[in-house]
Amino acid sequence: MSYKTIVGLEIHVELSTVTKAFCSCENTFGGEPNTRVCPVCLALPGAMPVLNENVLNYTLMAALALNCTINKESKFDRKNYFYPDLTKGFQITQNDRPIAVEGHLTIDTDNGPKDIGIYQIQMEEDTGKSLHGDNETLIDYNRCGVPLIEIVSKPDMASGKEGRAFLENLRNTLKFIGVSDVKMEEGSLRCDVNVNVKDELTGKKTAVTEVKNLNSFRAVEKAIDFEVARHIALLENGEDELRTTRRWDDVNGQTVLMRVKYTQADYRFQPEGDLVPVVIDDAYIETIRAQLPELPADKKARFISAYNLSEYDAAVLTSSVQLAEFFESVAAKFDDANMVSNWIMTEVLRRVEDTEDNFEVPFEADDFVELLNFVKSGKINNNAGKKVLREMFESKAKPADIIEDKGLLQVSDDSAIGVWVDEVLKDNPQSIEDIKGGKDRAMGFLVGQVMKKSKGKANPGLVNKLLQEKIQKM
Protein backbone atom coordinates (compact mmCIF):
# COMPACT_ATOMS: atom_id res chain seq x y z
CA MET A 1 0.00 0.00 0.00
CA SER A 2 1.10 3.56 -0.62
CA TYR A 3 0.67 6.38 1.86
CA LYS A 4 1.22 10.12 1.61
CA THR A 5 2.49 11.86 4.71
CA ILE A 6 1.21 15.38 5.34
CA VAL A 7 3.13 17.54 7.82
CA GLY A 8 2.75 21.21 8.68
CA LEU A 9 4.40 23.26 11.42
CA GLU A 10 3.24 26.13 13.63
CA ILE A 11 6.18 27.96 15.10
CA HIS A 12 6.15 30.60 17.83
CA VAL A 13 9.15 32.92 17.88
CA GLU A 14 9.86 35.46 20.62
CA LEU A 15 11.14 38.73 19.17
CA SER A 16 14.25 40.35 20.65
CA THR A 17 12.82 43.82 21.06
CA VAL A 18 13.98 45.88 24.02
CA THR A 19 10.46 46.25 25.41
CA LYS A 20 7.32 44.12 25.27
CA ALA A 21 4.68 44.09 22.54
CA PHE A 22 2.16 46.55 24.01
CA CYS A 23 3.90 48.29 26.93
CA SER A 24 7.33 49.58 27.97
CA CYS A 25 8.25 46.69 30.29
CA GLU A 26 11.69 45.20 29.68
CA ASN A 27 11.69 42.22 27.33
CA THR A 28 14.37 39.95 28.82
CA PHE A 29 14.47 36.24 29.59
CA GLY A 30 14.27 35.16 33.24
CA GLY A 31 14.68 37.55 36.16
CA GLU A 32 13.03 37.68 39.58
CA PRO A 33 9.40 36.56 39.12
CA ASN A 34 6.84 39.31 38.60
CA THR A 35 9.38 42.15 38.46
CA ARG A 36 8.81 43.00 34.78
CA VAL A 37 5.11 43.69 34.79
CA CYS A 38 2.85 46.72 34.59
CA PRO A 39 -0.91 47.39 34.46
CA VAL A 40 -0.96 46.48 30.75
CA CYS A 41 0.81 43.13 31.35
CA LEU A 42 -1.57 42.36 34.19
CA ALA A 43 -4.67 43.69 32.39
CA LEU A 44 -5.65 45.99 35.25
CA PRO A 45 -8.79 48.06 34.66
CA GLY A 46 -8.20 51.01 32.36
CA ALA A 47 -4.82 49.79 31.10
CA MET A 48 -4.54 50.29 27.34
CA PRO A 49 -2.11 48.46 25.02
CA VAL A 50 0.00 50.41 22.49
CA LEU A 51 1.82 48.53 19.73
CA ASN A 52 5.61 48.65 19.98
CA GLU A 53 6.79 49.87 16.55
CA ASN A 54 9.81 47.57 16.65
CA VAL A 55 7.51 44.56 16.95
CA LEU A 56 6.02 45.58 13.61
CA ASN A 57 9.46 46.22 12.11
CA TYR A 58 10.94 42.91 13.27
CA THR A 59 7.86 41.05 12.02
CA LEU A 60 8.17 42.70 8.62
CA MET A 61 11.85 41.73 8.45
CA ALA A 62 10.96 38.10 9.17
CA ALA A 63 8.12 38.16 6.65
CA LEU A 64 10.30 39.60 3.89
CA ALA A 65 13.10 37.14 4.64
CA LEU A 66 10.53 34.35 4.24
CA ASN A 67 9.33 35.68 0.90
CA CYS A 68 5.87 36.64 2.19
CA THR A 69 3.36 39.10 0.77
CA ILE A 70 2.85 41.95 3.22
CA ASN A 71 -0.72 43.02 3.95
CA LYS A 72 -0.81 46.80 3.97
CA GLU A 73 -3.68 46.69 6.43
CA SER A 74 -3.90 44.12 9.19
CA LYS A 75 -5.65 44.07 12.54
CA PHE A 76 -5.44 42.53 15.97
CA ASP A 77 -8.00 40.13 17.47
CA ARG A 78 -8.79 38.67 20.84
CA LYS A 79 -8.42 34.91 21.13
CA ASN A 80 -10.62 33.88 24.01
CA TYR A 81 -9.27 30.96 25.94
CA PHE A 82 -8.68 30.05 29.53
CA TYR A 83 -5.08 31.02 30.16
CA PRO A 84 -4.34 30.76 33.90
CA ASP A 85 -1.15 32.71 33.24
CA LEU A 86 -2.75 35.53 31.21
CA THR A 87 -4.95 37.56 33.52
CA LYS A 88 -7.20 39.25 30.97
CA GLY A 89 -8.57 35.91 29.79
CA PHE A 90 -7.72 36.38 26.14
CA GLN A 91 -4.62 36.65 24.00
CA ILE A 92 -4.01 39.54 21.62
CA THR A 93 -3.21 37.97 18.26
CA GLN A 94 -4.09 38.25 14.59
CA ASN A 95 -6.65 36.00 12.97
CA ASP A 96 -8.33 36.76 9.65
CA ARG A 97 -6.14 39.72 8.63
CA PRO A 98 -2.54 38.90 9.62
CA ILE A 99 0.43 41.05 8.75
CA ALA A 100 1.88 38.64 6.12
CA VAL A 101 0.75 35.72 3.96
CA GLU A 102 1.85 33.35 1.19
CA GLY A 103 5.59 32.98 1.72
CA HIS A 104 7.99 30.12 1.34
CA LEU A 105 11.32 28.78 2.59
CA THR A 106 13.52 26.42 0.58
CA ILE A 107 15.01 23.35 2.23
CA ASP A 108 17.52 20.79 0.97
CA THR A 109 16.14 17.25 0.63
CA ASP A 110 17.52 13.97 -0.69
CA ASN A 111 15.76 14.79 -3.96
CA GLY A 112 17.09 18.34 -4.22
CA PRO A 113 15.76 21.75 -3.11
CA LYS A 114 12.11 21.92 -2.05
CA ASP A 115 9.96 24.98 -1.36
CA ILE A 116 7.87 24.75 1.81
CA GLY A 117 4.92 27.15 1.70
CA ILE A 118 4.01 29.53 4.51
CA TYR A 119 0.33 30.36 5.02
CA GLN A 120 0.77 33.39 7.21
CA ILE A 121 2.76 35.22 9.85
CA GLN A 122 0.88 36.92 12.66
CA MET A 123 1.91 39.17 15.53
CA GLU A 124 0.76 38.23 19.02
CA GLU A 125 1.74 38.28 22.68
CA ASP A 126 3.13 35.55 24.90
CA THR A 127 1.49 34.34 28.09
CA GLY A 128 2.99 34.13 31.57
CA LYS A 129 4.45 30.99 33.06
CA SER A 130 2.95 28.50 35.54
CA LEU A 131 5.31 26.97 38.09
CA HIS A 132 3.85 23.74 39.45
CA GLY A 133 4.81 22.46 42.93
CA ASP A 134 3.56 19.40 44.81
CA ASN A 135 0.53 21.15 46.29
CA GLU A 136 0.45 24.53 44.61
CA THR A 137 0.89 26.41 41.37
CA LEU A 138 2.65 29.78 41.29
CA ILE A 139 2.40 32.22 38.39
CA ASP A 140 5.25 34.33 36.99
CA TYR A 141 3.85 37.09 34.76
CA ASN A 142 7.22 38.36 33.51
CA ARG A 143 6.65 36.69 30.13
CA CYS A 144 3.17 38.24 29.71
CA GLY A 145 3.19 40.52 26.69
CA VAL A 146 6.53 39.37 25.29
CA PRO A 147 6.18 39.83 21.51
CA LEU A 148 5.73 36.73 19.39
CA ILE A 149 5.29 35.96 15.77
CA GLU A 150 3.47 32.79 14.83
CA ILE A 151 4.62 31.29 11.54
CA VAL A 152 2.16 28.80 10.05
CA SER A 153 3.56 26.59 7.31
CA LYS A 154 1.60 24.79 4.63
CA PRO A 155 1.45 20.99 4.97
CA ASP A 156 4.22 20.54 2.42
CA MET A 157 6.59 18.38 4.44
CA ALA A 158 6.59 14.62 4.00
CA SER A 159 8.75 13.30 6.84
CA GLY A 160 10.35 14.08 10.15
CA LYS A 161 13.59 14.80 8.33
CA GLU A 162 11.94 17.48 6.19
CA GLY A 163 10.19 18.97 9.23
CA ARG A 164 13.51 19.24 11.01
CA ALA A 165 15.22 20.75 7.96
CA PHE A 166 12.50 23.40 7.69
CA LEU A 167 12.74 24.33 11.36
CA GLU A 168 16.55 24.47 11.30
CA ASN A 169 16.53 26.61 8.16
CA LEU A 170 13.89 28.90 9.67
CA ARG A 171 15.87 29.25 12.89
CA ASN A 172 19.03 30.07 10.95
CA THR A 173 17.24 32.69 8.85
CA LEU A 174 15.65 34.45 11.84
CA LYS A 175 18.94 34.45 13.73
CA PHE A 176 20.77 35.90 10.73
CA ILE A 177 18.41 38.84 10.44
CA GLY A 178 18.62 39.44 14.20
CA VAL A 179 14.93 39.52 15.10
CA SER A 180 15.17 36.74 17.71
CA ASP A 181 17.79 34.77 19.61
CA VAL A 182 15.71 31.64 18.67
CA LYS A 183 16.91 29.71 21.71
CA MET A 184 14.72 26.63 21.97
CA GLU A 185 16.01 25.86 25.46
CA GLU A 186 14.75 29.25 26.69
CA GLY A 187 11.43 29.05 24.82
CA SER A 188 12.29 31.70 22.24
CA LEU A 189 11.50 29.17 19.51
CA ARG A 190 8.65 26.70 20.10
CA CYS A 191 7.16 24.34 17.58
CA ASP A 192 3.88 22.47 17.18
CA VAL A 193 3.62 19.84 14.45
CA ASN A 194 0.46 18.77 12.62
CA VAL A 195 0.51 15.32 11.08
CA ASN A 196 -1.87 13.09 9.16
CA VAL A 197 -1.58 10.39 6.51
CA LYS A 198 -3.50 9.67 3.31
CA ASP A 199 -4.03 6.25 1.76
CA GLU A 200 -3.28 7.04 -1.90
CA LEU A 201 -5.24 3.99 -3.09
CA THR A 202 -8.52 4.70 -1.27
CA GLY A 203 -8.11 8.44 -0.69
CA LYS A 204 -8.92 8.02 3.01
CA LYS A 205 -7.11 10.40 5.38
CA THR A 206 -6.56 10.16 9.10
CA ALA A 207 -7.63 13.06 11.33
CA VAL A 208 -4.90 15.63 11.99
CA THR A 209 -2.88 15.21 15.16
CA GLU A 210 -1.19 18.23 16.73
CA VAL A 211 1.89 17.60 18.89
CA LYS A 212 2.45 20.66 21.09
CA ASN A 213 5.45 22.58 22.36
CA LEU A 214 8.38 20.64 20.98
CA ASN A 215 11.60 22.16 22.21
CA SER A 216 14.35 20.52 20.18
CA PHE A 217 15.02 19.69 16.53
CA ARG A 218 15.49 16.06 17.46
CA ALA A 219 12.09 15.96 19.19
CA VAL A 220 10.41 17.50 16.14
CA GLU A 221 11.83 14.85 13.83
CA LYS A 222 11.07 11.94 16.15
CA ALA A 223 7.55 13.12 17.02
CA ILE A 224 6.65 13.42 13.32
CA ASP A 225 8.04 9.99 12.49
CA PHE A 226 6.25 8.44 15.47
CA GLU A 227 2.94 9.99 14.44
CA VAL A 228 3.34 8.93 10.82
CA ALA A 229 3.83 5.31 11.90
CA ARG A 230 0.86 5.54 14.28
CA HIS A 231 -1.41 7.01 11.61
CA ILE A 232 -0.44 4.33 9.08
CA ALA A 233 -1.29 1.69 11.69
CA LEU A 234 -4.71 3.35 12.19
CA LEU A 235 -5.40 3.16 8.45
CA GLU A 236 -4.25 -0.43 8.18
CA ASN A 237 -6.47 -1.42 11.10
CA GLY A 238 -9.46 0.41 9.63
CA GLU A 239 -9.49 2.83 12.58
CA ASP A 240 -9.49 6.60 12.99
CA GLU A 241 -9.83 9.10 15.82
CA LEU A 242 -10.96 12.66 16.41
CA ARG A 243 -8.54 15.54 15.83
CA THR A 244 -6.35 15.38 18.90
CA THR A 245 -3.68 17.35 20.70
CA ARG A 246 -0.78 15.28 22.00
CA ARG A 247 2.56 15.86 23.71
CA TRP A 248 5.96 14.30 23.10
CA ASP A 249 7.29 11.95 25.78
CA ASP A 250 11.02 12.04 25.12
CA VAL A 251 11.85 9.39 27.72
CA ASN A 252 9.61 6.75 26.16
CA GLY A 253 9.93 8.01 22.61
CA GLN A 254 6.21 8.37 21.95
CA THR A 255 3.38 10.91 21.84
CA VAL A 256 0.75 10.98 24.59
CA LEU A 257 -2.88 12.11 24.24
CA MET A 258 -3.66 15.43 25.98
CA ARG A 259 -7.14 16.31 24.71
CA VAL A 260 -9.45 16.36 21.72
CA LYS A 261 -8.39 19.35 19.63
CA TYR A 262 -10.16 22.66 19.96
CA THR A 263 -11.72 24.14 16.85
CA GLN A 264 -11.45 27.75 15.78
CA ALA A 265 -15.01 28.36 16.97
CA ASP A 266 -13.96 27.42 20.50
CA TYR A 267 -11.65 30.43 20.59
CA ARG A 268 -14.47 32.93 19.83
CA PHE A 269 -12.18 35.33 17.97
CA GLN A 270 -13.28 38.96 18.05
CA PRO A 271 -11.58 42.21 16.98
CA GLU A 272 -9.28 43.80 19.56
CA GLY A 273 -11.03 47.13 20.09
CA ASP A 274 -8.19 48.73 22.06
CA LEU A 275 -5.75 48.60 19.13
CA VAL A 276 -6.20 50.36 15.82
CA PRO A 277 -5.58 48.49 12.56
CA VAL A 278 -1.97 48.41 11.35
CA VAL A 279 -1.74 50.39 8.10
CA ILE A 280 1.54 50.63 6.19
CA ASP A 281 2.53 51.64 2.67
CA ASP A 282 5.09 50.52 0.08
CA ALA A 283 7.68 53.05 1.20
CA TYR A 284 7.56 51.71 4.77
CA ILE A 285 7.97 48.14 3.52
CA GLU A 286 10.91 49.07 1.31
CA THR A 287 12.58 50.87 4.21
CA ILE A 288 12.41 47.64 6.21
CA ARG A 289 13.57 45.57 3.24
CA ALA A 290 16.66 47.76 2.95
CA GLN A 291 17.61 46.84 6.53
CA LEU A 292 17.76 43.12 5.78
CA PRO A 293 21.27 41.64 5.76
CA GLU A 294 22.39 39.02 3.26
CA LEU A 295 20.27 35.93 3.97
CA PRO A 296 21.86 32.54 4.76
CA ALA A 297 20.86 30.91 1.46
CA ASP A 298 22.30 33.83 -0.53
CA LYS A 299 25.46 33.86 1.57
CA LYS A 300 25.92 30.10 1.12
CA ALA A 301 25.56 30.42 -2.68
CA ARG A 302 28.09 33.29 -2.68
CA PHE A 303 30.58 31.30 -0.58
CA ILE A 304 30.39 28.46 -3.11
CA SER A 305 30.90 30.71 -6.13
CA ALA A 306 33.27 33.31 -4.70
CA TYR A 307 35.50 31.02 -2.62
CA ASN A 308 35.05 27.77 -4.58
CA LEU A 309 33.95 25.92 -1.44
CA SER A 310 32.03 22.65 -1.35
CA GLU A 311 28.32 22.85 -0.62
CA TYR A 312 28.84 21.17 2.74
CA ASP A 313 31.63 23.52 3.82
CA ALA A 314 29.62 26.56 2.70
CA ALA A 315 26.58 25.33 4.65
CA VAL A 316 28.62 24.91 7.85
CA LEU A 317 30.43 28.22 7.49
CA THR A 318 27.15 30.09 6.99
CA SER A 319 25.36 28.37 9.87
CA SER A 320 25.93 31.39 12.10
CA VAL A 321 26.55 35.08 11.51
CA GLN A 322 29.69 35.16 13.66
CA LEU A 323 31.22 32.10 12.01
CA ALA A 324 30.58 33.45 8.51
CA GLU A 325 32.08 36.82 9.45
CA PHE A 326 35.16 35.16 10.94
CA PHE A 327 35.72 33.11 7.78
CA GLU A 328 35.37 36.14 5.52
CA SER A 329 37.63 38.33 7.64
CA VAL A 330 40.38 35.68 7.41
CA ALA A 331 39.78 34.86 3.73
CA ALA A 332 40.07 38.56 2.88
CA LYS A 333 43.70 38.55 4.09
CA PHE A 334 44.80 35.07 3.05
CA ASP A 335 44.96 33.97 -0.58
CA ASP A 336 43.84 30.35 -0.10
CA ALA A 337 40.15 30.24 0.88
CA ASN A 338 40.06 26.45 0.85
CA MET A 339 42.92 26.28 3.32
CA VAL A 340 41.08 28.77 5.56
CA SER A 341 37.93 26.66 5.28
CA ASN A 342 39.75 23.40 6.04
CA TRP A 343 41.44 24.77 9.14
CA ILE A 344 38.22 26.33 10.46
CA MET A 345 36.12 23.23 9.69
CA THR A 346 38.54 20.91 11.48
CA GLU A 347 40.96 22.48 13.93
CA VAL A 348 38.91 25.54 14.98
CA LEU A 349 35.37 24.17 15.18
CA ARG A 350 36.35 21.15 17.24
CA ARG A 351 37.57 23.54 19.93
CA VAL A 352 34.50 25.79 19.89
CA GLU A 353 31.78 24.53 22.21
CA ASP A 354 28.75 26.38 20.87
CA THR A 355 29.09 27.11 17.18
CA GLU A 356 25.46 27.91 16.42
CA ASP A 357 24.59 30.26 19.26
CA ASN A 358 27.81 31.87 20.23
CA PHE A 359 30.78 31.27 17.93
CA GLU A 360 33.72 32.88 19.65
CA VAL A 361 37.48 32.32 19.49
CA PRO A 362 39.96 33.85 21.95
CA PHE A 363 42.11 35.46 19.25
CA GLU A 364 41.75 37.94 16.42
CA ALA A 365 41.29 37.02 12.77
CA ASP A 366 44.72 38.59 12.06
CA ASP A 367 46.36 36.12 14.45
CA PHE A 368 44.76 33.23 12.59
CA VAL A 369 45.99 34.68 9.28
CA GLU A 370 49.50 34.86 10.75
CA LEU A 371 49.34 31.19 11.78
CA LEU A 372 48.17 30.11 8.31
CA ASN A 373 51.01 32.09 6.73
CA PHE A 374 53.54 30.26 8.91
CA VAL A 375 52.12 26.92 7.75
CA LYS A 376 51.76 27.78 4.08
CA SER A 377 55.27 29.24 3.83
CA GLY A 378 56.72 26.06 5.27
CA LYS A 379 58.20 27.80 8.31
CA ILE A 380 56.27 25.36 10.48
CA ASN A 381 54.72 22.09 9.43
CA ASN A 382 51.07 21.13 9.70
CA ASN A 383 51.40 19.33 13.03
CA ALA A 384 53.29 22.24 14.54
CA GLY A 385 50.54 24.53 13.27
CA LYS A 386 47.96 22.50 15.17
CA LYS A 387 50.04 22.78 18.33
CA VAL A 388 50.26 26.55 17.89
CA LEU A 389 46.50 26.82 17.40
CA ARG A 390 45.84 24.79 20.54
CA GLU A 391 48.12 27.12 22.46
CA MET A 392 46.32 30.15 20.96
CA PHE A 393 43.07 28.80 22.40
CA GLU A 394 44.61 28.06 25.80
CA SER A 395 46.98 30.98 26.42
CA LYS A 396 45.73 33.52 23.86
CA ALA A 397 49.40 34.13 22.92
CA LYS A 398 50.46 35.30 19.46
CA PRO A 399 51.53 32.63 16.92
CA ALA A 400 55.07 34.03 16.49
CA ASP A 401 55.64 34.06 20.25
CA ILE A 402 54.39 30.47 20.60
CA ILE A 403 56.58 29.26 17.74
CA GLU A 404 59.68 30.93 19.17
CA ASP A 405 58.95 29.86 22.74
CA LYS A 406 58.45 26.20 21.79
CA GLY A 407 61.10 26.10 19.05
CA LEU A 408 58.68 24.93 16.38
CA LEU A 409 60.32 26.46 13.32
CA GLN A 410 60.60 23.76 10.71
CA VAL A 411 64.03 22.34 9.88
CA SER A 412 64.63 22.21 6.11
CA ASP A 413 68.36 21.79 6.16
CA ASP A 414 69.48 18.67 4.24
CA SER A 415 72.47 17.99 6.41
CA ALA A 416 70.58 18.25 9.70
CA ILE A 417 67.76 16.03 8.50
CA GLY A 418 70.28 13.64 6.89
CA VAL A 419 71.77 12.92 10.31
CA TRP A 420 68.36 11.94 11.70
CA VAL A 421 67.59 9.84 8.58
CA ASP A 422 70.90 7.94 8.89
CA GLU A 423 70.21 7.17 12.55
CA VAL A 424 66.71 5.88 11.80
CA LEU A 425 67.88 3.70 8.90
CA LYS A 426 70.62 2.22 11.06
CA ASP A 427 68.10 1.32 13.80
CA ASN A 428 65.48 -0.19 11.45
CA PRO A 429 67.08 -2.63 8.94
CA GLN A 430 63.90 -4.74 8.73
CA SER A 431 61.93 -1.73 7.48
CA ILE A 432 64.47 -1.23 4.73
CA GLU A 433 64.04 -4.85 3.64
CA ASP A 434 60.25 -4.45 3.76
CA ILE A 435 60.39 -1.41 1.49
CA LYS A 436 62.65 -3.20 -0.94
CA GLY A 437 60.19 -6.09 -0.85
CA GLY A 438 57.35 -3.80 -1.92
CA LYS A 439 55.80 -3.03 1.46
CA ASP A 440 55.34 0.72 1.01
CA ARG A 441 53.71 1.18 4.43
CA ALA A 442 57.13 0.73 6.03
CA MET A 443 58.13 4.09 4.54
CA GLY A 444 55.49 5.80 6.63
CA PHE A 445 56.92 4.19 9.74
CA LEU A 446 60.41 5.46 8.94
CA VAL A 447 59.14 8.99 8.23
CA GLY A 448 57.39 8.91 11.58
CA GLN A 449 60.59 7.83 13.34
CA VAL A 450 62.55 10.70 11.79
CA MET A 451 59.83 13.19 12.75
CA LYS A 452 59.92 11.83 16.27
CA LYS A 453 63.70 12.20 16.42
CA SER A 454 63.42 15.80 15.19
CA LYS A 455 60.69 16.52 17.77
CA GLY A 456 58.27 17.28 14.94
CA LYS A 457 60.41 20.02 13.41
CA ALA A 458 61.76 18.25 10.31
CA ASN A 459 60.27 19.09 6.93
CA PRO A 460 58.20 15.93 6.17
CA GLY A 461 58.60 16.27 2.41
CA LEU A 462 62.37 16.51 2.71
CA VAL A 463 62.44 13.59 5.14
CA ASN A 464 60.56 11.43 2.66
CA LYS A 465 62.86 12.47 -0.19
CA LEU A 466 66.07 11.74 1.71
CA LEU A 467 64.79 8.39 2.95
CA GLN A 468 63.95 7.26 -0.59
CA GLU A 469 67.31 8.41 -1.96
CA LYS A 470 69.31 6.69 0.76
CA ILE A 471 67.33 3.41 0.58
CA GLN A 472 67.75 3.26 -3.20
CA LYS A 473 71.49 3.43 -2.74
CA MET A 474 71.53 0.53 -0.28
Side-chain angles (χ1 to χ4, degrees):
M1 300 184 75
S2 178
Y3 299 102
K4 179 181 180 181
T5 299
I6 306 165
V7 178
L9 304 187
E10 296 177 19
I11 300 126
H12 289 88
V13 181
E14 287 186 355
L15 300 178
S16 301
T17 52
V18 176
T19 56
K20 293 184 179 180
F22 304 113
C23 66
S24 59
C25 287
E26 184 183 358
N27 175 26
T28 308
F29 176 75
E32 191 70 21
N34 297 313
T35 56
R36 293 171 187 153
V37 294
C38 71
V40 174
C41 302
L42 298 174
L44 298 183
M48 297 289 283
V50 177
L51 176 61
N52 178 347
E53 185 177 355
N54 277 331
V55 172
L56 172 63
N57 295 343
Y58 280 24
T59 305
L60 290 173
M61 288 178 72
L64 292 170
L66 298 174
N67 307 292
C68 288
T69 298
I70 307 298
N71 284 329
K72 292 178 185 171
E73 181 172 338
S74 62
K75 71 176 180 64
F76 286 100
D77 302 283
R78 294 181 176 186
K79 182 181 181 182
N80 291 282
Y81 185 73
F82 177 67
Y83 293 99
D85 43 16
L86 191 60
T87 53
K88 55 180 172 278
F90 61 85
Q91 180 190 31
I92 299 177
T93 182
Q94 294 188 303
N95 181 33
D96 57 328
R97 286 160 61 190
I99 185 71
V101 296
E102 294 300 326
H104 72 269
L105 184 64
T106 304
I107 63 170
D108 293 324
T109 72
D110 294 338
N111 298 317
K114 179 178 180 180
D115 283 349
I116 304 298
I118 294 171
Y119 271 127
Q120 67 181 54
I121 297 178
Q122 61 208 48
M123 296 180 283
E124 58 188 34
E125 62 180 341
D126 211 343
T127 65
K129 190 174 182 181
S130 299
L131 306 169
H132 301 291
D134 292 337
N135 300 306
E136 62 186 5
T137 294
L138 302 175
I139 307 292
D140 178 6
Y141 291 108
N142 279 351
R143 204 176 64 181
C144 272
V146 165
L148 296 176
I149 52 174
E150 181 175 350
I151 301 168
V152 184
S153 86
K154 294 184 178 179
D156 293 341
M157 289 153 275
S159 66
K161 191 175 179 181
E162 288 190 7
R164 177 174 184 158
F166 177 81
L167 190 62
E168 288 181 337
N169 200 350
L170 178 71
R171 176 188 186 276
N172 201 19
T173 300
L174 297 176
K175 189 170 180 60
F176 250 77
I177 63 176
V179 300
S180 173
D181 61 22
V182 285
K183 292 180 178 177
M184 295 191 84
E185 69 278 12
E186 294 182 3
S188 300
L189 179 69
R190 308 193 288 271
C191 182
D192 305 336
V193 302
N194 291 285
V195 181
N196 68 325
V197 171
K198 177 183 177 182
D199 184 331
E200 294 194 300
L201 183 63
T202 65
K204 181 176 173 55
K205 291 181 183 177
T206 54
V208 175
T209 292
E210 182 181 39
V211 186
K212 298 286 287 185
N213 291 328
L214 294 159
N215 60 5
S216 73
F217 298 117
R218 174 179 167 277
V220 168
E221 182 174 358
K222 287 189 169 295
I224 291 172
D225 289 341
F226 179 87
E227 277 302 298
V228 170
R230 193 177 70 82
H231 281 238
I232 289 175
L234 286 172
L235 285 173
E236 291 183 342
N237 293 327
E239 300 173 357
D240 201 358
E241 60 186 9
L242 296 173
R243 289 167 62 93
T244 56
T245 297
R246 305 175 75 90
R247 67 174 175 82
W248 175 244
D249 180 344
D250 202 38
V251 174
N252 296 307
Q254 61 184 17
T255 64
V256 179
L257 178 65
M258 295 172 65
R259 60 179 182 268
V260 174
K261 190 173 172 57
Y262 289 95
T263 66
Q264 191 172 43
D266 293 323
Y267 294 122
R268 295 174 287 116
F269 282 104
Q270 63 188 96
E272 168 53 85
D274 290 338
L275 287 164
V276 297
V278 178
V279 180
I280 53 179
D281 57 20
D282 287 335
Y284 195 95
I285 295 170
E286 292 311 312
T287 299
I288 299 299
R289 193 191 303 277
Q291 297 174 21
L292 282 175
E294 184 180 34
L295 298 177
D298 298 331
K299 191 180 287 289
K300 176 184 165 187
R302 183 169 62 78
F303 274 27
I304 292 171
S305 63
Y307 299 112
N308 196 29
L309 300 182
S310 70
E311 180 148 343
Y312 177 77
D313 286 7
V316 172
L317 293 172
T318 56
S319 62
S320 86
V321 178
Q322 295 87 351
L323 176 55
E325 288 178 346
F326 181 75
F327 167 78
E328 290 218 270
S329 61
V330 176
K333 298 178 180 177
F334 191 76
D335 62 359
D336 188 341
N338 270 291
M339 184 173 170
V340 177
S341 172
N342 290 337
W343 271 76
I344 291 178
M345 296 278 292
T346 54
E347 301 307 317
V348 174
L349 289 186
R350 72 192 183 93
R351 291 184 168 84
V352 177
E353 291 184 3
D354 190 355
T355 304
E356 291 186 349
D357 287 334
N358 191 28
F359 173 80
E360 286 184 6
V361 289
F363 46 80
E364 300 296 326
D366 284 349
D367 297 328
F368 192 57
V369 172
E370 183 184 351
L371 169 62
L372 295 182
N373 278 321
F374 271 113
V375 175
K376 190 167 187 183
S377 66
K379 292 181 178 176
I380 61 174
N381 62 39
N382 220 44
N383 286 333
K386 294 175 185 177
K387 289 180 184 175
V388 173
L389 182 64
R390 184 174 64 229
E391 188 69 21
M392 288 167 68
F393 268 93
E394 293 173 356
S395 69
K396 304 178 185 178
K398 300 291 185 184
D401 295 338
I402 298 169
I403 291 167
E404 182 179 356
D405 182 55
K406 295 188 177 298
L408 294 175
L409 280 177
Q410 185 164 266
V411 176
S412 297
D413 179 76
D414 281 18
S415 57
I417 295 176
V419 172
W420 291 322
V421 167
D422 289 341
E423 290 176 4
V424 167
L425 291 175
K426 181 181 177 183
D427 294 341
N428 296 278
Q430 183 59 50
S431 295
I432 298 170
E433 293 304 315
D434 289 344
I435 291 169
K436 288 183 174 180
K439 296 179 180 179
D440 295 337
R441 292 179 62 184
M443 180 61 79
F445 170 75
L446 293 179
V447 171
Q449 292 303 303
V450 176
M451 294 303 294
K452 186 177 179 182
K453 217 169 246 306
S454 73
K455 298 181 180 177
K457 295 191 290 185
N459 183 320
L462 197 51
V463 170
N464 199 63
K465 174 174 171 289
L466 289 177
L467 278 170
Q468 289 188 10
E469 288 175 356
K470 288 178 181 288
I471 291 171
Q472 283 176 357
K473 292 177 182 176
M474 291 180 169

